[in-house]
Amino acid sequence: MNDTSAKGPPAKGRSYVLRFISGKYQGGEFPVVPGKEIIVGRSSDLDMVLVEDMVSRKHARIQMQTDAIWIEDLGSTNGTFVNGEKIKRAKLKEGDRVLIGTSILKVIAADGAAPESSTTDAKRELESVAAQRRTSQARTMSGAIEEVPLPDLLQLFGTSKKNGVLVIRTEDDVGRIYLRKGNIYYAQINDIEEVPPLKSLFRMLTWQKGLFDLDPPDERTHANDIDVTVQEVLMEGLRQLDEFEQIRAELPDLNARLAMVSPLIPPLRDLKAEELDVLQLAHNYGHMETVLNKSLATDLETVRIVLKLLKASYLRAE
């Protein structure tokens, strides 16, 4: 899993905390004190107590030794994951994300010297955070995709074989990704059924801001279910995203109106069949977002055609 926020191994003399960026303890922090191990698990007599079914009694051990932070799985039932990879033992660096149960922890460099708070204080803080979230009836897993980008989040869920509906809310849209044992079997944006699931998935991968929740599984069936692994989606989706970013600045806004130029000077016979299809959609619907939704091609292929039609003066954007 790509993590552009990772800054390399812990620097000598720096202090670090584990910040909960998703799960029932979201917002809490736990200091990493040199030479002092942190035993994580469900048992109440441990250092970091995570009270949930997917966490084993003794789940993992975290310790800073000679300025390196190490995490070790203690034979847990559901595993320990670092940046989407299931591990037995691994070295952590700043920016790494650890998944234990439904909690995602991020390694953060703390300001100043090593934290003075004791394990007992940190343990009490986590209990307080969990109690507040219970009061507010927060979902089990939630967070911001600025903290956990959607590709990273999907990889975490895929590797840990999560079940449920991942709901992503932006200012303008609500996307849903349906997961069964870590595989994706459906996806939808704004309940629009005419947009194929894969197209919806690839479109959501372009979102950079928003909030996510993992809702319980939804057993309803859909007419156009799919069955793809997260790896398959990310491989193709990120390829499209890279190419999309190269032309993003040239694209009309999603709310832009598209209209055929009149009189039409360039000959229609110069266009390929798929280009004629997009031209017809623009003529019939006159709205960039609707053209994307109704086009049989991917968003990337469609916007490339729209750009060609604009540059060749078949279409104009208003």
Side-chain angles (χ1 to χ4, degrees):
M1 179 166 60
N2 295 326
D3 184 0
T4 55
S5 64
K7 306 287 181 63
K12 188 173 182 179
R14 295 189 72 182
S15 59
Y16 295 86
V17 297
L18 299 168
R19 179 178 295 163
F20 286 78
I21 59 175
S22 178
K24 66 189 291 186
Y25 301 96
Q26 184 182 347
E29 293 185 349
F30 206 101
V32 181
V33 179
K36 181 174 178 57
E37 67 177 17
I38 303 167
I39 304 297
V40 185
R42 202 174 65 241
S43 180
S44 61
D45 60 345
L46 301 181
D47 307 301
M48 185 190 292
V49 181
L50 305 181
V51 184
E52 56 170 289
D53 293 341
M54 292 186 66
V55 175
S56 297
R57 284 191 70 258
K58 281 191 175 181
H59 197 107
R61 177 189 290 114
I62 301 171
Q63 188 173 19
M64 180 184 279
Q65 300 172 326
T66 60
D67 297 311
I69 304 172
W70 290 89
I71 183 167
E72 178 185 1
D73 184 80
L74 298 176
S76 66
T77 301
N78 292 298
T80 302
F81 302 84
V82 176
N83 296 333
E85 299 293 331
K86 191 172 185 177
I87 59 97
K88 290 185 177 179
R89 189 170 187 263
K91 184 185 289 187
L92 297 176
K93 58 186 179 294
E94 183 183 352
D96 278 350
R97 299 179 182 91
V98 178
L99 175 67
I100 297 176
T102 63
S103 292
I104 302 176
L105 301 83
K106 187 175 183 180
V107 180
I108 302 288
D111 295 328
E116 297 181 1
S117 58
S118 67
T119 298
T120 304
D121 292 338
K123 191 173 175 179
R124 192 179 300 120
E125 181 195 351
L126 290 186
E127 291 172 355
S128 174
V129 168
Q132 291 172 8
R133 289 180 67 77
R134 279 197 301 272
T135 301
S136 65
Q137 296 182 327
R139 289 175 171 83
T140 303
M141 291 195 77
S142 60
I145 58 176
E146 293 95 324
E147 279 275 20
V148 195
L150 189 54
D152 293 8
L153 191 62
L154 284 175
Q155 183 140 337
L156 284 171
F157 291 168
T159 311
S160 55
K161 300 187 182 304
K162 284 282 188 288
N163 294 308
V165 182
L166 177 59
V167 183
I168 307 104
R169 295 177 174 84
T170 71
E171 288 186 0
D172 303 310
D173 301 296
V174 177
R176 289 179 172 83
I177 300 173
Y178 295 73
L179 298 158
R180 185 184 295 121
K181 294 183 179 179
N183 279 10
I184 299 170
Y185 69 92
Y186 193 64
Q188 194 174 54
I189 298 175
N190 298 333
D191 297 322
I192 301 173
E193 294 188 359
E194 68 181 338
V195 182
L198 279 175
K199 182 183 281 194
S200 295
L201 269 171
F202 296 151
R203 193 176 296 180
M204 280 185 263
L205 289 176
T206 68
W207 295 356
Q208 298 176 341
K209 292 184 179 181
L211 301 175
F212 72 83
D213 298 289
L214 184 64
D215 284 356
D218 185 336
E219 298 304 327
R220 288 179 296 175
T221 57
H222 306 274
N224 49 349
D225 276 6
I226 56 177
D227 183 15
V228 294
T229 67
V230 166
Q231 289 300 330
E232 290 170 330
V233 168
L234 293 184
M235 189 176 298
E236 175 59 20
L238 294 179
R239 181 195 68 79
Q240 289 192 26
L241 181 59
D242 286 344
E243 296 185 27
F244 187 85
E245 288 299 324
Q246 295 174 19
I247 59 174
R248 183 191 288 269
E250 304 176 59
L251 298 178
D253 188 83
L254 280 179
N255 296 319
R257 300 287 302 176
L258 298 176
M260 286 184 65
V261 174
S262 180
L264 188 61
I265 305 300
L268 291 175
R269 64 175 176 272
D270 289 348
L271 297 178
K272 299 175 183 177
E274 57 269 27
E275 294 167 347
L276 286 169
D277 288 344
V278 172
L279 182 64
Q280 184 174 10
L281 289 173
H283 177 67
N284 288 346
Y285 298 101
H287 188 254
M288 182 69 180
E289 186 173 19
T290 307
V291 170
L292 288 174
N293 289 345
K294 291 188 174 291
S295 173
L296 297 178
T298 67
D299 281 353
L300 178 62
E301 292 165 341
T302 304
V303 295
R304 280 177 170 167
I305 292 172
V306 168
L307 280 179
K308 176 179 177 178
L309 295 175
L310 288 168
K311 290 176 179 178
S313 297
Y314 288 93
L315 289 177
R316 68 175 186 274
E318 301 173 345

